[in-house]
Amino acid sequence: MPTVSVIVPCRNERAHLEAFCTSLRAQRLPEGWTMEVLVADGHSDDGSRAWLEDHAQRFGLRVIDNPQRIVSSGLNRALAVSRGEVIVRMDVHTTYATDYIAQCLAALQASGADNVGGPWRAQGEGELSSAIAAAFQSRWLAGGARSRQLDYTGWVDTVYLGCWPRATFERFGDFDETLVRNQDDEHNLRITRGGGRIWQSAAIRCAYRPRNSLGALWRQYQQYGYWKPFVIRKHRGAASWRHWVPAALVLGLVGSLPAAWLGAAWVGALVPGLYLAAVWVAALLIAARSRWAHLPWLLLVIPTYHLSYGLGFLLGAFDAWGRGRPRASMGRLSR
């Protein structure tokens, strides 16, 4: 019988393991398919490893050691021992529709793509987390990225998580273990530049749990921004305008300080004033589509997204092309 291998990176996810494994056990596979689940634990110190080992038989999973602790190495460790004809990536911080894997298999067969996935849907818990999720889903944060358009089905440059025929990894290689973040985007870039194709299906449904504090959100998106220039340097490609806008914003805000200090108050206030107005407009639009109770939080969440990514991108650009190597502080996971 054909096998689908589910590969799962995990580090310090104890609070979410029960919901994830329950969602995993509820998967309804197409007739004739079997499933193996490989969880690569990155030396968790919050009880995750012990919980996984205690419940491995109950949920039908196998725990694998990931001494490097980061996502890309965990995925590769699980991939190396997997035996399925199809590989599906899942994350612990996400719950899945009962037909998630079945829809992935159907999309692979129908599209003939090298990677398929569903849109990236965020679902918060509590007021702040829900506001973070509402902002995450908005085009004001996504910049029109199709991976966050919940109703979009078609060819894309990248998808959330992923489902691949094993032949994709034989053709394009494994995940880049020099990248703490953006390893999935880099792998998808390798696929599309190598002549492969990626398909998004709105029928592939899951819900991602975003961070639940501004500090955690800042660290996460600073890392996303930081590692993007290393992907750009590796592939000698230009960044999308979506990656440059937050960096340009940070430069504009910093550049306003000398003007204000030299007495040109209106010049110094121009960029901060325009950005503050844009934040208010975006917050009002997002709150109108989600909940008005989100508005006070959105006024903090939106700048956190933009400024953390922009600052991280600038630091990453300096390290990628200036220092030639990443800094150690950006090599640790933010969760």
Side-chain angles (χ1 to χ4, degrees):
M1 294 187 355
T3 299
V4 56
S5 296
V6 178
I7 58 174
V8 186
C10 175
R11 175 169 167 77
N12 291 345
E13 295 281 11
R14 175 62 187 85
H16 302 277
L17 282 172
E18 183 87 34
F20 167 74
C21 288
T22 300
S23 174
L24 185 63
R25 188 171 59 178
Q27 291 297 305
R28 300 195 304 263
L29 298 183
E31 185 177 355
W33 282 84
T34 61
M35 176 175 70
E36 66 170 356
V37 182
L38 306 162
V39 181
D41 179 71
H43 292 189
S44 296
D45 53 18
D46 69 340
S48 293
R49 180 64 173 261
W51 190 95
L52 285 167
E53 291 175 343
D54 289 343
H55 294 80
Q57 184 173 0
R58 173 189 171 195
F59 289 108
L61 56 87
R62 176 182 173 189
V63 183
I64 297 167
D65 192 42
N66 174 24
Q68 289 180 256
R69 304 186 180 189
I70 62 175
V71 171
S72 51
S73 61
L75 292 172
N76 286 344
R77 297 300 171 277
L79 183 62
V81 298
S82 66
R83 56 186 176 84
E85 294 90 332
V86 174
I87 311 297
V88 172
R89 174 186 171 179
M90 287 185 167
D91 279 355
V92 178
H93 229 60
T94 302
T95 53
Y96 306 84
T98 57
D99 64 346
Y100 181 87
I101 293 177
Q103 291 291 349
C104 285
L105 295 173
L108 269 184
Q109 183 176 17
S111 67
D114 299 280
N115 183 16
V116 302
W120 198 351
R121 180 194 303 268
Q123 183 176 314
E125 299 173 318
E127 288 298 327
L128 175 54
S129 182
S130 295
I132 291 173
F136 176 90
Q137 221 68 62
S138 170
R139 63 186 180 88
W140 292 94
L141 271 297
R146 286 176 172 172
S147 61
R148 300 191 197 180
Q149 294 179 16
L150 302 182
D151 59 348
Y152 179 78
T153 295
W155 298 109
V156 291
D157 294 327
T158 189
V159 288
Y160 180 50
L161 301 177
C163 170
W164 309 262
R166 180 172 292 278
T168 295
F169 294 100
E170 296 170 352
R171 180 180 174 188
F172 299 104
D174 297 345
F175 296 95
D176 188 340
E177 296 187 18
T178 67
L179 299 173
V180 174
R181 296 287 188 188
N182 296 319
Q183 70 284 328
D184 47 356
D185 286 342
E186 189 278 331
H187 193 261
N188 285 325
L189 180 60
R190 223 184 305 155
I191 291 173
T192 55
R193 287 200 168 185
R197 299 185 301 169
I198 301 171
W199 179 263
Q200 177 171 299
S201 170
I204 300 173
R205 297 167 296 128
C206 62
Y208 159 76
R209 297 288 187 266
R211 300 299 195 267
N212 57 10
S213 75
L214 293 175
L217 181 67
W218 178 281
R219 291 188 294 273
Q220 179 190 18
Y221 272 79
Q222 186 179 40
Q223 280 194 334
Y224 281 149
Y226 179 83
W227 289 98
K228 181 61 68 173
F230 288 90
V231 175
I232 296 169
R233 186 187 68 170
K234 176 179 178 178
H235 291 277
R236 296 181 175 87
S240 166
W241 66 270
R242 292 197 302 269
H243 307 304
W244 281 111
V245 169
L249 170 64
V250 171
L251 290 175
L253 293 173
V254 172
S256 299
L257 296 176
W261 183 72
L262 292 173
W266 72 270
V267 176
L270 183 61
V271 173
L274 289 174
Y275 179 63
L276 182 60
V279 168
W280 266 98
V281 170
L284 288 168
L285 291 172
I286 295 171
R289 297 189 62 179
S290 56
R291 292 179 55 197
W292 285 109
H294 290 157
L295 181 60
W297 285 117
L298 287 168
L299 295 173
L300 299 174
V301 167
I302 293 171
T304 299
Y305 271 114
H306 289 157
L307 298 179
S308 61
Y309 191 99
L311 179 60
F313 188 93
L314 293 172
L315 289 174
F318 174 79
D319 288 351
W321 286 287
R323 298 173 72 240
R325 64 185 188 279
R327 59 188 67 196
S329 62
M330 290 295 178
R332 295 185 291 270
L333 291 180
S334 60
R335 199 188 303 286

